[in-house]
């Protein structure tokens, strides 16, 4: 090998070694350059994953917070509703307690005002327990045929008892018989206010009505101030009027009757069922008394322009089953519930008197018993007439 060839070989070996060295050096350098990139990628991935976790955690926390908020709102609503229900129950309980308290106070006041139980004179004497026809509960009763005077029903008919506002029938008879002008104005005064029973009246002191209007109210609605004012302003005064009442009673034959005033508020106004039947017989012949006592209602105007509506004190007037020609009711505790009436039943004209019934209903029931009994008797009589015995 020549020197030139050796040099060429030497150079080639040197070049090859250089290339190998460069390769060895270049690979670590490429790995070193790639490591930070990989690390950066890993770090970025971890960061992104962490951010994802954070995002998920934040979302979870948001959902949990929202759920907690919703649950809290629902709890608040339930709490508020519970409080409302509790408050409503409390208010209702308080309201009921107040109503019960008021009712108790009212009952107590009524009991105090009423005082002891008041028993009528007839019941004190035990008259209502007497055995009578048709199970009549009134202490005294009398039913007669107006035309033949036949007695159909009788129970303690001569017992003398307080007659309350049945008195006003005689008051009306005296006034009507006097033929005084009915358009004369009469003013209610303090003298007409009830001091015996302290009863109320819608006719205030100072009210001015005509004599005819006051007479209407006295006979239809049993207005006490009206009756007293009529007697007070009668020619000759109140005492003279009462004297005329007693004189008329004697002339009729009412020997067991006595009057001390014109309204019936005094329990000293007394009579018997038999005497009152006589009074009804006479009063029925007066057209004015028939009209006023059977009037269903009447309106009057006060001095202030206010209209007062009055109704008949007898519910039978409004009952279509009854044909009543004259009637009057009455009540004070001493007399019990009283009623007189003239009526036509099955073509028969009758006069009925009931004294000292225990209640308005009992008084009405007594009258209904008599009416149905008379109707049955009439039916039987018609049947017998249609099929006479041969």
């Amino acid at each position: 090998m020549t020197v030139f060839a050796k040099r060429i070989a030497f150079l080639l070996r040197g070049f090859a070694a250089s290339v190998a060295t460069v390769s060895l050096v270049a690979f670590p350098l490429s790995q070193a350059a790639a490591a930070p990139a990989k690390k950066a990628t890993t770090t970025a991935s971890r960061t992104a994953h962490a951010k994802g976790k954070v995002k998920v955690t934040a979302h979870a926390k948001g959902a949990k917070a929202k759920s907690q908020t919703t649950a809290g709102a629902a709890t608040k609503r339930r709490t508020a509703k519970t409080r409302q229900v509790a408050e409503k129950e409390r208010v209702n309980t308080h309201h009921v307690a107040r109503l019960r308290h008021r009712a108790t106070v009212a009952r107590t006041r009524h009991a105090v005002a009423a005082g002891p139980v008041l028993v009528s004179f007839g019941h004190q004497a035990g008259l209502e327990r007497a055995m009578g026809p048709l199970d009549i509960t009134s202490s005294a009763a009398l039913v007669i045929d107006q035309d033949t005077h036949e007695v159909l029903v009788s129970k303690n008919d001569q017992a003398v008892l307080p007659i309350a506002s049945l008195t006003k029938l005689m008051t009306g008879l005296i006034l009507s018989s006097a033929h005084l002008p009915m358009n004369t104005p009469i003013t209610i005064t303090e003298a007409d206010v009830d001091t015996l029973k302290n009863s109320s009246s819608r006719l205030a002191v100072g009210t001015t009505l005509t004599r005819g209007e006051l007479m209407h109210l006295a006979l239809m609605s049993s207005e006490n101030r009206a009756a007293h004012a009529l007697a007070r302003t009668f020619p000759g005064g109140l005492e003279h009027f009462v004297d005329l009442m007693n004189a008329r009673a004697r002339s009729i034959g009412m020997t067991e009757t006595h009057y001390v005033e014109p309204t019936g508020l005094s329990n000293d106004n007394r009579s018997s069922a038999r005497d009152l039947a006589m009074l009804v017989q006479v009063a029925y012949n007066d057209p004015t008394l028939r009209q006023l006592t059977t009037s269903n209602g009447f309106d009057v105007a006060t001095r202030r322009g206010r209209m007062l509506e009055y109704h008949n004190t007898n519910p039978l007037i409004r009952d279509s089953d009854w044909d009543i020609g004259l009637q009057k009711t009455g009540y004070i505790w001493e007399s019990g519930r009283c009623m007189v009436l003239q009526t036509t039943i099955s073509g028969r004209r009758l006069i009925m008197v009931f004294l000292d019934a225990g209640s308005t209903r009992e008084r009405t029931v007594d009258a209904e018993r008599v009416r149905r009994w008379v109707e049955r008797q009439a039916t039987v009589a018609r049947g017998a007439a249609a099929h006479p015995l041969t």
Side-chain angles (χ1 to χ4, degrees):
M1 180 178 297
T2 63
V3 176
F4 179 77
K6 290 179 180 181
R7 288 182 178 179
I8 291 299
F10 176 78
L11 289 173
L12 290 174
R13 286 196 296 273
F15 179 75
S18 298
V19 169
T21 301
V22 169
S23 298
L24 290 174
V25 173
F27 180 75
L29 286 178
S30 63
Q31 283 187 339
K38 184 178 180 180
K39 185 176 182 181
T41 302
T42 304
T43 302
S45 176
R46 289 177 179 175
T47 302
H49 181 69
K51 285 183 178 180
K53 282 187 176 181
V54 169
K55 188 173 182 180
V56 170
T57 302
H59 178 73
K61 286 184 178 180
K64 184 177 181 180
K66 185 176 181 180
S67 176
Q68 290 176 345
T69 302
T70 303
T75 302
K76 287 182 179 179
R77 285 195 297 271
R78 285 195 297 271
T79 303
K81 188 173 182 179
T82 302
R83 287 177 180 174
Q84 289 176 355
V85 171
E87 178 65 16
K88 188 175 181 179
E89 290 179 353
R90 186 188 70 80
V91 170
N92 288 339
T93 302
H94 180 63
H95 180 64
V96 171
R98 282 172 54 192
L99 291 178
R100 288 178 177 171
H101 175 70
R102 289 178 182 176
T104 302
V105 170
R107 285 194 299 267
T108 303
R109 287 177 178 173
H110 178 72
V112 171
V117 177
L118 303 176
V119 181
S120 67
F121 287 7
H123 281 66
Q124 288 180 30
L127 297 179
E128 83 286 357
R129 294 193 296 271
M131 295 300 293
L134 307 180
D135 296 324
I136 297 297
T137 61
S138 298
S139 293
L142 181 64
V143 179
I144 65 172
D145 187 299
Q146 187 177 358
D147 299 312
T148 67
H149 305 292
E150 176 189 356
V151 175
L152 304 182
V153 176
S154 176
K155 178 183 178 181
N156 298 322
D157 64 330
Q158 295 186 47
V160 178
L161 297 168
I163 58 173
S165 287
L166 300 186
T167 297
K168 294 185 179 74
L169 198 56
M170 178 61 82
T171 300
L173 184 60
I174 298 299
L175 287 163
S176 183
S177 300
H179 302 291
L180 298 174
M182 290 292 108
N183 60 354
T184 301
I186 297 176
T187 301
I188 303 297
T189 69
E190 289 289 348
D192 304 316
V193 176
D194 171 26
T195 58
L196 290 173
K197 296 292 189 290
N198 295 315
S199 60
S200 61
S201 172
R202 290 192 290 164
L203 294 182
V205 172
T207 299
T208 300
L209 299 175
T210 66
R211 179 177 280 113
E213 289 173 326
L214 292 177
M215 194 167 169
H216 198 153
L217 297 181
L219 292 172
M220 181 192 74
S221 295
S222 216
E223 173 50 67
N224 291 314
R225 292 185 185 179
H228 193 277
L230 288 167
R232 175 179 55 81
T233 59
F234 191 84
L238 182 60
E239 291 186 9
H240 176 60
F241 187 89
V242 175
D243 289 340
L244 291 176
M245 293 173 69
N246 286 308
R248 188 62 182 272
R250 289 191 298 270
S251 70
I252 292 173
M254 301 170 66
T255 58
E256 297 166 330
T257 299
H258 182 66
Y259 299 104
V260 298
E261 51 85 31
T263 66
L265 289 168
S266 171
N267 61 43
D268 289 327
N269 284 2
R270 301 186 184 188
S271 186
S272 66
R274 187 174 293 275
D275 276 9
L276 290 169
M278 297 179 191
L279 176 59
V280 173
Q281 177 85 318
V282 173
Y284 180 76
N285 293 324
D286 189 311
T288 299
L289 299 186
R290 290 202 305 269
Q291 177 187 355
L292 297 183
T293 61
T294 58
S295 173
N296 189 34
F298 184 60
D299 297 341
V300 296
T302 65
R303 59 179 178 174
R304 296 181 180 178
R306 179 187 171 199
M307 295 299 296
L308 297 179
E309 184 176 327
Y310 287 85
H311 297 281
N312 202 300
T313 57
N314 193 339
L316 296 181
I317 289 294
R318 295 176 285 278
D319 190 332
S320 60
D321 291 334
W322 285 85
D323 179 10
I324 297 175
L326 179 138
Q327 68 79 38
K328 187 70 192 76
T329 62
Y331 171 76
I332 55 175
W333 71 263
E334 296 94 335
S335 71
R337 303 287 173 174
C338 304
M339 176 172 65
V340 298
L341 56 86
Q342 186 282 338
T343 183
T344 301
I345 302 174
S346 298
R348 196 171 187 179
R349 300 199 308 166
L350 304 177
I351 292 175
M352 299 185 184
V353 180
F354 301 98
L355 300 181
D356 191 29
S359 66
T360 300
R361 182 178 180 279
E362 289 181 12
R363 182 181 67 190
T364 301
V365 168
D366 282 349
E368 292 285 359
R369 283 196 180 107
V370 173
R371 180 179 64 83
R372 288 194 293 269
W373 176 74
V374 173
E375 289 174 341
R376 286 196 299 270
Q377 294 296 313
T379 301
V380 171
R382 286 194 297 269
H387 302 86
L389 295 175
T390 57

